[in-house]
């Protein structure tokens, strides 16, 4: 099957007006599933995912107390840039795929290397979510997250959208999470060919390295 190239993570660091889509058949797609009630569908999807995460965390805390994190794969984090007590969309949620090691977490001023795949919410044509960005050359999990075949992307934590930076600042090296970012902490009303406005962002990402200035 012929693989498709999509725009690199550099697009996360630049204004979305500079983004370009490279799919040969992008113009042939029926984009109605990305326009019909898209904003509300994304809001509903994120709300349902957040509710699932919050319920799992609450149950783990009730059953295991201070050791709840050892028994729960869900996490909820308020944005580093928001004050406590704000709306649900001031937070992200994440599901742990693999637990890493160590105690060091990236700071806002650090640089990192990550493997990642960025997707939109599931639709009829894309039940796993249409991919809009990824590291490596081919968008296959076994390729993207395999250090024998794919090189991680390097970037500054401070140069990413708010929800992505927030997730990284809670991760340890080799953690792999699926991170759910509401549009308020993503690109909001900005859009590109493969990334409609008001999209919830779903990143399957693995932190591979942390670089601190000192």
């Amino acid at each position: 099957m012929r693989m498709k190239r999509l725009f690199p993570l550099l697009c996360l660091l630049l204004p979305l007006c500079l983004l370009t889509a490279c799919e040969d058949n992008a113009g042939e797609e029926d984009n109605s599933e990305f326009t019909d009630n898209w904003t509300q569908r994304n809001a509903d999807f994120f709300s349902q995912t957040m509710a699932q995460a919050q319920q799992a965390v609450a149950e783990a805390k009730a059953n295991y107390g201070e050791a709840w994190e050892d028994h729960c794969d869900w996490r909820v984090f308020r944005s580093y840039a928001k004050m406590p007590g704000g709306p649900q969309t001031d937070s992200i949620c994440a599901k742990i795929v693999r637990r890493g090691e160590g105690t060091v977490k990236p700071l806002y001023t650090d640089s990192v290397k990550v493997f990642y795949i960025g997707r939109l919410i599931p639709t009829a044509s894309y039940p796993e979510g249409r991919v809009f960005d990824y590291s490596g050359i081919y968008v296959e999990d076994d390729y993207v997250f395999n250090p024998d075949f794919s090189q991680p992307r390097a970037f500054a934590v401070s140069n990413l959208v708010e929800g992505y930076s927030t997730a990284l600042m809670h991760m340890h090296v080799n953690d792999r999470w699926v991170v759910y970012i509401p549009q308020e902490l993503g690109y909001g009303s900005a859009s590109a060919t493969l990334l409609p406005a008001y999209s919830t962002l779903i990143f399957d990402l693995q932190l591979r390295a942390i670089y601190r200035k000192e």
Side-chain angles (χ1 to χ4, degrees):
M1 180 178 67
R2 183 174 66 85
M3 298 297 180
K4 301 176 182 178
R5 286 179 175 271
L6 301 175
F7 53 82
L9 183 61
L10 178 61
C11 300
L12 290 173
L13 315 181
L14 297 173
L16 277 172
C17 61
L18 300 180
L19 299 181
T20 59
C22 300
E23 287 190 314
D24 295 337
N25 64 344
E28 301 173 3
E29 293 182 358
D30 178 6
N31 286 318
S32 62
E33 60 186 335
F34 302 106
T35 56
D36 292 348
N37 203 27
W38 180 250
T39 301
Q40 188 59 51
R41 285 161 52 206
N42 275 263
D44 291 344
F45 176 87
F46 180 77
S47 178
Q48 292 164 9
T49 305
M50 175 62 80
Q52 181 181 358
Q54 291 173 328
Q55 180 179 349
V57 170
E59 290 177 354
K61 288 181 176 180
N63 292 328
Y64 301 103
E66 293 183 359
W68 73 270
E69 291 183 337
D70 296 331
H71 302 274
C72 182
D73 290 333
W74 282 97
R75 299 289 187 271
V76 176
F77 301 110
R78 183 162 297 281
S79 166
Y80 70 88
K82 300 293 189 291
M83 296 294 291
Q88 176 176 273
T89 51
D90 281 356
S91 299
I92 64 169
C93 56
K95 189 170 186 180
I96 298 171
V97 177
R98 173 181 172 180
R99 296 174 187 264
E101 60 271 346
T103 59
V104 178
K105 301 176 184 178
L107 301 174
Y108 184 74
T109 52
D110 289 344
S111 294
V112 295
K113 284 188 175 182
V114 298
F115 292 133
Y116 70 95
I117 300 176
R119 292 185 171 91
L120 303 178
I121 66 171
T123 64
S125 300
Y126 299 90
E128 294 184 357
R130 185 172 74 179
V131 174
F132 64 86
D133 194 14
Y134 59 93
S135 59
I137 299 175
Y138 304 114
V139 59
E140 298 289 344
D141 282 17
D142 292 342
Y143 182 89
V144 170
F145 295 99
N146 189 330
D148 293 332
F149 301 128
S150 181
Q151 291 295 317
R153 293 279 174 81
F155 52 90
V157 175
S158 60
N159 283 347
L160 297 173
V161 293
E162 192 173 326
Y164 202 118
S165 298
T166 297
L168 286 171
M169 292 165 67
H170 289 279
M171 298 179 75
H172 303 105
V173 173
N174 285 327
D175 274 348
R176 180 177 171 185
W177 293 359
V178 177
V179 180
Y180 300 86
I181 302 173
Q183 59 92 3
E184 290 86 350
L185 302 183
Y187 291 118
S189 61
S191 65
T193 302
L194 293 177
L195 190 62
Y198 305 110
S199 292
T200 293
L201 308 179
I202 305 171
F203 279 100
D204 185 346
L205 67 95
Q206 184 177 35
L207 177 61
R208 296 293 294 176
I210 303 170
Y211 300 94
R212 198 150 289 171
K213 290 181 178 180
E214 62 270 20

